[in-house]
Amino acid sequence: MNPLLDPPPEPVQLKDAPLPIVLTQLRFLAVPNMENQAYIAGFQESVRKDYPRFSSESMGLSFAIQMGVGVTQPTLRTFWRMASFDSKWVLTLTQDFLTLETTAYIHRDDFVKRWAAIIDAFQRSFTDITVVRYGLRYVNRIDDPALMDRIKELVNPAALGIISQLPGAERAEVSMSEAVFSVPEGKMRVKWGILPANAMHDPSIQPSTKRSWILDYDIFQESSPSPLELEAVKDVAPRFAERGYAMFRWMVEDAFLEAFGGKS
């Protein structure tokens, strides 16, 4: 199977999938009114049944402005959070993006269905949204020391590279790779490899307190600004998920699936 072109294999449900986070994000041209709670109230109400916990956070962003001399101009941005009762599913809305993230991923059909309902509510609540990027991201992580000792059994040797060839190399402190591929759905950025305890491969992802192997793939489309079309987002979301699963299955061996409650 070529994970960049071919359809994925039939999915294998993992009882204990090693997914610390899965997220999807729609980016659009800035709508300054999103800073106003009254403006976003209709959307919050439409998703409140599934995401009843509402909060906001103001975060400072800095921009360099040239006015004869360099200065830094701070500005505050509001992040509206809408979460499930257990906080395992979180919606974040700002003036230029909408994100759904979860630490309790079940399977792709469930995730895509939830996202489609959110996009439906979003389109009903706001007019003239102009999309610039859409992406779907999965972060897989192994940090069980016993499984890390078996990394050569669990991961495709082609992905492990030198780790698969040298005796003792599976105990490497750091061995990271990154690539961006063209795929039929758009682009796919993949980061994978071994990290020491508390090391971050991305500042937006909470690191493990233990040595770990990560597989982080982001499938996305970037385009010229275009109006939000509900059906287009609904159509591409499952295809993104399938492309990501094709990469996952190429990266891992059957022993990986077995270790997390899949194939026996």
Side-chain angles (χ1 to χ4, degrees), residues 130-133 222-227:
T130 304
V131 176
V132 295
R133 187 186 191 276
E222 292 177 323
S223 63
S224 300
S226 57

Side-chain angles (χ1 to χ4, degrees), residues 123-192:
Q123 191 171 49
R124 289 197 310 269
S125 301
F126 307 110
T127 59
D128 300 327
I129 293 295
T130 304
V131 176
V132 295
R133 187 186 191 276
Y134 173 57
L136 175 60
R137 183 178 181 186
Y138 291 77
V139 180
N140 299 264
R141 181 162 61 206
I142 301 173
D143 58 8
D144 182 326
L147 293 178
M148 288 298 295
D149 287 343
R150 297 176 54 207
I151 199 69
K152 289 183 178 181
E153 302 173 41
L154 305 182
V155 178
N156 186 337
L160 284 175
I162 193 170
I163 300 297
S164 69
Q165 302 298 318
L166 295 179
E170 67 274 11
R171 293 188 292 276
E173 293 183 14
V174 181
S175 178
M176 288 296 298
S177 299
E178 180 175 358
V180 178
F181 303 105
S182 293
V183 293
E185 299 77 16
K187 301 286 186 181
M188 178 162 56
R189 175 177 287 107
V190 188
K191 300 179 183 180
W192 71 99

